[in-house]
Amino acid sequence: MRKLIAAINMTLDGFCDHTAGIADDELLQHYNELLRNTDTLLYGRITFQLMESYWPAVVINPTGNKPTDEFAVLIDNISKVVFSRTLKEVDWKNATLKNEIIKEEVLKLKHQEGKKHFSRQPGFNCSINATSIN
């Protein structure tokens, strides 16, 4: 069974907000390594829209910063599953929309062959834990 890894950017005082911190080269290199060993990202709507609004543009117009540009390519190419009741469609490359978190669907993903799954949204991670899929 594949692992489901939950990752949350959190400040030392316990604040979780992807827009509050700036990812430096060291943090991006850490996430690049995680993404190299992952084949599916699991997102909720909020973090998905945040990531989709920035990273595809970096693929088209690289920054010149190696860790940043590498992250953009890695995240652009990876499979993404977005769980949202309000989105009607997703346009980002390799993204699939699911209307709700269904325990059996996530378990099916975990039982498929491949690398790890990776989740990057606090609310989504709480929902996964509530369904006992950890």
Side-chain angles (χ1 to χ4, degrees):
M1 183 182 304
R2 295 195 282 179
K3 290 183 179 182
L4 174 59
I5 299 171
I8 301 172
N9 293 342
M10 183 182 298
T11 61
L12 291 174
D13 60 355
F15 189 67
C16 298
D17 183 350
H18 288 287
T19 64
I22 297 173
D24 61 10
D25 287 355
E26 184 178 4
L27 183 61
L28 284 168
Q29 288 168 347
H30 169 73
Y31 279 120
N32 290 346
E33 186 59 35
L34 285 173
L35 289 177
R36 280 188 213 97
N37 294 300
T38 303
D39 62 12
T40 307
L41 292 172
L42 306 178
Y43 281 116
R45 177 188 57 83
I46 295 169
T47 302
F48 175 79
Q49 288 179 316
L50 177 71
M51 303 298 270
E52 181 187 35
S53 71
Y54 182 76
W55 293 108
V58 176
V59 172
I60 295 166
N61 297 306
T63 66
N65 176 277
K66 185 179 177 183
T68 300
D69 296 344
E70 183 178 1
F71 182 85
V73 170
L74 287 166
I75 201 165
D76 193 56
N77 288 323
I78 201 164
S79 172
K80 295 166 272 294
V81 179
V82 184
F83 294 92
S84 172
R85 291 186 181 117
T86 57
L87 287 176
K88 301 299 180 213
E89 62 182 29
V90 291
D91 296 323
W92 195 1
K93 178 178 162 182
N94 299 322
T96 303
L97 179 62
K98 301 285 185 180
N99 295 107
E100 61 183 291
I101 299 171
I102 299 173
K103 180 178 180 177
E104 291 75 22
E105 281 194 37
V106 178
L107 286 172
K108 183 179 172 183
L109 285 171
K110 286 184 71 173
H111 282 92
Q112 292 173 352
E113 292 294 319
K115 298 177 182 178
K116 300 170 186 165
H117 296 297
F118 188 56
S119 169
R120 298 230 25 230
Q121 181 165 331
F124 176 76
N125 294 336
C126 291
S127 297
I128 286 291
N129 284 332
T131 59
S132 302
I133 311 173
N134 44 17

